[in-house]
């Protein structure tokens, strides 16, 4: 991201409301079939929307069928970078996105484009305390242990791996959470937390809780039925 982009405190970006939370560093596949989001894909690919980036925000209430107001979505979302894309013969798109930077939604406009457009301000992590080295090491070990316990209960041994050892504490919590099927409320809570060490504690606690559930139930996590049917994250698209 260039210096000019970093310096701006607010920006206007397309918004895609979903019934899921995108975390920084996580990969999210999407199937775009509604005309307005097909147009978003075209605008991303042609450069009408710069940098191939748009914002994903989680819908507060699954009963909401049309997002029109700020109170319909969670206040903190995450930008998605468009990666691979395939346009199907009937005009639908299958795309792969990757989470990048968090933002706070300040305003939603449903009149300037076929899709929603939002004014956002960027939300970055608070700096680590100067003497946080020992705390970081302890929390990192606890979080990696919780992640291993969850993955051993949920996945086949060769289907997961621990993050790279040089991953910093801020990114680590998101990578660990993205590897696991946490409830939307948990993922949103992690997305909103700006203290990296506190977020590591939170993800540790969440993963150990979920690993305990899986072990007691002798079950593996499964997406909701609509996700099984589509093979993709649920959306209102």
């Amino acid at each position: 991201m260039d210096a000019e982009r970093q310096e701006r405190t607010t920006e206007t970006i397309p918004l895609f409301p979903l019934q899921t939370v995108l975390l920084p560093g996580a990969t999210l596949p999407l199937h775009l079939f509604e005309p307005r989001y097909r147009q978003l894909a075209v605008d991303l690919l042609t450069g009408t929307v710069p940098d191939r980036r748009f914002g994903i925000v989680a819908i507060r209430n699954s009963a909401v069928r049309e997002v029109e107001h700020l109170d319909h979505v969670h206040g903190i979302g995450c930008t998605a970078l468009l990666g691979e894309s395939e346009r199907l013969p009937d005009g639908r798109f299958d795309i792969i996105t990757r989470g990048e930077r968090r933002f706070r939604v300040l305003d939603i406009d449903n009149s300037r484009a076929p899709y929603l457009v939002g004014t956002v301000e960027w939300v970055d992590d608070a700096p680590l305390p100067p003497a946080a080295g020992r705390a970081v090491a302890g929390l990192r070990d606890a979080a990696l242990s919780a992640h291993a316990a969850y993955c051993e209960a949920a996945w086949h041994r060769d289907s997961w791996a621990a993050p790279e050892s040089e991953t910093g504490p801020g990114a680590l919590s998101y990578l660990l959470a993205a590897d696991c099927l946490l409830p939307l409320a948990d993922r949103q809570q992690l997305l909103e937390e700006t203290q990296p060490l506190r977020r590591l504690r939170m993800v540790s606690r969440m993963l150990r809780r979920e690993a305990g559930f899986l072990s007691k139930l002798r079950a593996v996590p499964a997406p909701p039925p609509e996700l099984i049917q589509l093979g993709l994250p649920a959306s209102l698209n």
Side-chain angles (χ1 to χ4, degrees):
M1 201 172 294
D2 59 33
E4 180 185 355
R5 187 180 180 87
Q6 286 282 4
E7 289 171 2
R8 290 199 296 265
T9 57
T10 64
E11 194 161 337
T12 301
I13 60 173
L15 292 181
F16 195 163
L18 291 172
Q19 293 174 5
T20 191
V21 174
L22 177 64
L23 297 174
T27 298
L28 180 64
L30 293 169
H31 177 67
L32 308 181
F33 57 87
E34 191 175 337
R36 56 182 164 176
Y37 294 116
R38 295 188 196 183
Q39 185 61 52
L40 174 58
V42 171
D43 290 352
L44 289 164
L45 290 167
T46 60
T48 302
V49 173
D51 303 328
R52 295 167 67 103
R53 289 178 174 86
F54 60 102
I56 289 179
V57 286
I59 298 166
R60 287 187 180 277
N61 187 337
S62 60
V64 172
R65 303 310 301 170
E66 188 68 29
V67 171
E68 297 178 339
H69 307 293
L70 281 176
D71 57 3
H72 287 164
V73 297
H74 287 275
I76 304 296
C78 182
T79 55
L81 174 65
L82 174 64
E84 296 179 26
S85 65
E86 179 183 4
R87 186 167 191 170
L88 305 178
D90 62 0
R92 292 174 295 135
F93 281 88
D94 286 331
I95 66 174
I96 303 294
T97 69
R98 180 171 56 82
E100 289 201 318
R101 193 176 183 188
R102 293 171 300 173
F103 58 82
R104 178 177 292 103
V105 186
L106 302 177
D107 182 54
I108 290 178
D109 187 341
N110 57 12
S111 63
R112 64 187 294 175
Y115 39 81
L116 295 179
V117 174
T119 301
V120 305
E121 64 179 2
W122 303 115
V123 177
D124 295 320
D125 272 347
L128 289 172
R134 182 175 297 180
V136 169
L139 289 169
R140 177 187 176 86
D141 289 346
L144 289 172
S145 175
H147 175 257
Y150 177 96
C151 291
E152 287 168 0
W155 317 125
H156 295 297
R157 183 64 186 89
D158 58 355
S159 65
W160 66 274
E164 298 293 333
S165 58
E166 63 270 17
T167 305
L172 180 62
S173 54
Y174 287 134
L175 291 179
L176 297 181
D179 212 18
C180 307
L181 295 178
L182 292 173
L184 186 151
D186 285 350
R187 295 167 70 86
Q188 185 66 37
Q189 188 179 5
L190 291 170
L191 185 66
E192 295 180 5
E193 179 55 61
T194 59
Q195 299 286 343
L197 300 189
R198 189 180 301 162
R199 197 165 59 238
L200 270 179
R201 291 190 190 95
M202 289 165 57
V203 78
S204 242
R205 183 176 66 251
M206 292 170 181
L207 294 183
R208 289 209 175 276
R209 180 199 67 207
E210 295 297 311
F213 290 158
L214 294 174
S215 296
K216 288 179 181 177
L217 294 174
R218 298 179 181 274
V220 296
E226 66 268 22
L227 305 197
I228 297 173
Q229 181 181 4
L230 292 175
L232 293 165
S235 78
L236 293 188
N237 167 47

